[in-house]
């Protein structure tokens, strides 16, 4: 009786990309449609991410960030790149097209190309680590950013993968756990990954500071519409619609009212 009435509650789980994805919803949505579907929508097909064989990679570095901002601000920031030229000098040196303000997620299947003189995805553009064998020729020297709603970012480059997980702990605070994944022999041989890690560590710090500076305005009682979406932000608009659908609200044409909380209908997709 005790085990039946007071035992652990069952939850839906799925192992993918080397992580365990958990969904607490009583009726979990389709993993293929909601999670893998986000990857397909970004890359064009599911096979593209398999080239990186993420499940076989090892953690070379992990940072945990305590961000004083709502999780939706972090997602919006990750999706747009108007800010890139002004706060990401190291990133735009490696990915020159980001200086023009277009995020890599704007085009389906597009990966931002490394600069001509750049040798690797490192803080100074120097040589990276050993390339992941399965990476296709058309994926080489390119960076792909993927948002898996609600709280996962996947960043793909030829020699490593950067994997973010966000854990909202308050309406104005989010803990972000970020892994840098490399080929096992790179980690086991204790190769120096610091220049590789430092690039996106700086990007994270710069982004999270920007989000924290935005949060006070979002916390205001006057906050309602939040701004106007232009056509080049269609992917951000889709995220707003996704949130509002789960909140049971509708995005106004003049702006995008978002609750400072999160999805509350019990249908949020799995997260690792």
């Amino acid at each position: 009786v005790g085990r039946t009435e007071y035992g652990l509650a069952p939850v839906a789980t799925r192992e993918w990309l080397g992580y365990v994805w958990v969904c607490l919803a009583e009726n979990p949505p389709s993993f293929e449609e909601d999670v893998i579907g986000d990857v397909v929508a970004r890359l064009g097909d599911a096979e593209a991410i398999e080239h990186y064989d993420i499940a076989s990679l090892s953690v070379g570095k992990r940072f945990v960030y305590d961000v004083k901002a709502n999780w939706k601000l972090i997602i919006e920031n990750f999706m747009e790149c108007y800010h890139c030229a002004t706060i990401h000098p190291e990133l735009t040196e490696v990915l020159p097209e980001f200086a023009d303000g277009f995020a890599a997620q704007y085009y389906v299947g597009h990966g931002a190309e490394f600069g001509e003189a750049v040798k690797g995805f490192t803080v100074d553009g120097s040589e990276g680590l050993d390339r992941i064998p399965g990476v296709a020729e058309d994926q080489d020297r390119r960076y792909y950013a993927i948002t898996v709603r609600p709280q996962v970012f996947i960043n793909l480059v030829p020699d490593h993968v950067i994997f973010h997980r966000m854990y909202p702990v308050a309406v104005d605070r989010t803990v972000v756990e970020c892994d840098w994944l490399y080929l096992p022999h790179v980690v086991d041989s204790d190769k120096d990954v610091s220049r590789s890690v430092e690039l996106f560590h700086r990007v994270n710090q710069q982004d999270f500071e920007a989000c924290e500076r935005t949060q006070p305005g979002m916390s205001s009682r006057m906050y309602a519409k939040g701004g106007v979406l232009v056509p080049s932000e269609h992917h951000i608009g889709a995220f707003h619609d996704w949130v509002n659908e789960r909140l049971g609200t509708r995005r106004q044409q003049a702006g995008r009212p978002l609750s400072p909380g999160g999805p509350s209908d019990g249908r949020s997709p799995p997260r690792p």
Side-chain angles (χ1 to χ4, degrees):
V1 175
R3 178 177 296 180
T4 302
E5 296 184 2
Y6 301 103
L8 296 176
V11 297
T13 61
R14 171 75 174 267
E15 185 176 350
W16 188 55
L17 304 180
Y19 290 87
V20 176
W21 301 67
V22 178
C23 182
L24 302 180
E26 185 175 347
N27 298 304
S30 166
F31 188 90
E32 283 70 20
E33 293 179 8
D34 281 43
V35 176
I36 299 178
D38 274 350
V39 174
V40 173
R42 170 66 188 92
L43 298 180
D45 62 69
E47 292 183 5
I49 199 169
E50 299 301 332
H51 295 167
Y52 294 84
D53 197 14
I54 298 175
S56 72
L57 303 181
S58 297
V59 178
K61 186 68 177 181
R62 172 175 292 171
F63 276 108
V64 178
Y65 307 87
D66 194 337
V67 187
K68 297 178 179 63
N70 183 266
W71 65 277
K72 295 189 294 297
L73 283 177
I74 299 174
I75 289 185
E76 284 189 340
N77 177 277
F78 184 70
M79 284 184 163
E80 64 93 352
C81 206
Y82 298 137
H83 68 279
C84 288
T86 56
I87 73 171
H88 294 318
E90 300 88 357
L91 184 64
T92 52
E93 282 292 323
V94 174
L95 305 174
E97 68 184 70
F98 274 20
D100 296 329
F102 282 102
Q105 299 181 65
Y106 178 66
Y107 308 99
V108 174
H110 175 72
E113 190 171 4
F114 292 6
E116 186 175 343
V118 171
K119 296 181 179 179
F121 198 74
T122 57
V123 70
D124 55 3
S126 58
E127 196 76 36
L129 287 306
D130 294 351
R131 175 178 161 183
I132 298 169
V135 171
E137 287 300 321
D138 61 353
Q139 294 173 316
D140 194 21
R141 293 183 55 78
R142 289 186 179 271
Y143 161 78
Y144 297 86
I146 308 167
T147 302
V148 180
R149 298 165 298 180
Q151 293 143 296
V152 174
F153 302 150
I154 305 173
N155 307 272
L156 308 172
V157 292
D159 63 332
H160 65 282
V161 171
I162 306 161
F163 203 100
H164 295 69
R165 285 90 68 211
M166 291 183 291
Y167 304 100
V169 293
V171 296
D172 57 358
R173 182 179 167 218
T174 308
V175 172
V176 183
E177 193 172 74
C178 185
D179 291 343
W180 280 257
L181 308 173
Y182 301 88
L183 291 170
H185 75 264
V186 170
V187 177
D188 293 342
S189 62
D190 202 27
K191 287 189 177 182
D192 182 10
V193 299
S194 61
R195 288 174 301 177
S196 171
V197 169
E198 183 63 22
L199 174 57
F200 225 86
H201 176 49
R202 290 192 191 182
V203 170
N204 284 338
Q205 291 176 312
Q206 293 156 353
D207 277 338
F208 298 155
E209 181 183 358
C211 291
E212 290 181 341
R213 295 178 68 179
T214 304
Q215 181 63 44
M218 186 180 181
S219 301
S220 167
R221 291 185 179 183
M222 297 299 294
Y223 179 87
K225 299 177 181 178
V228 177
L229 294 172
V230 297
S232 64
E233 295 176 318
H234 67 274
H235 55 304
I236 303 176
F239 169 64
H240 295 166
D241 291 339
W242 179 89
V243 171
N244 279 289
E245 178 187 348
R246 280 151 180 76
L247 291 173
T249 58
R250 186 161 60 102
R251 179 164 60 93
Q252 298 177 6
Q253 291 183 355
R256 54 183 196 281
L258 289 179
S259 161
S264 58
D265 67 349
R267 295 182 61 252
S268 57
R271 64 189 187 196

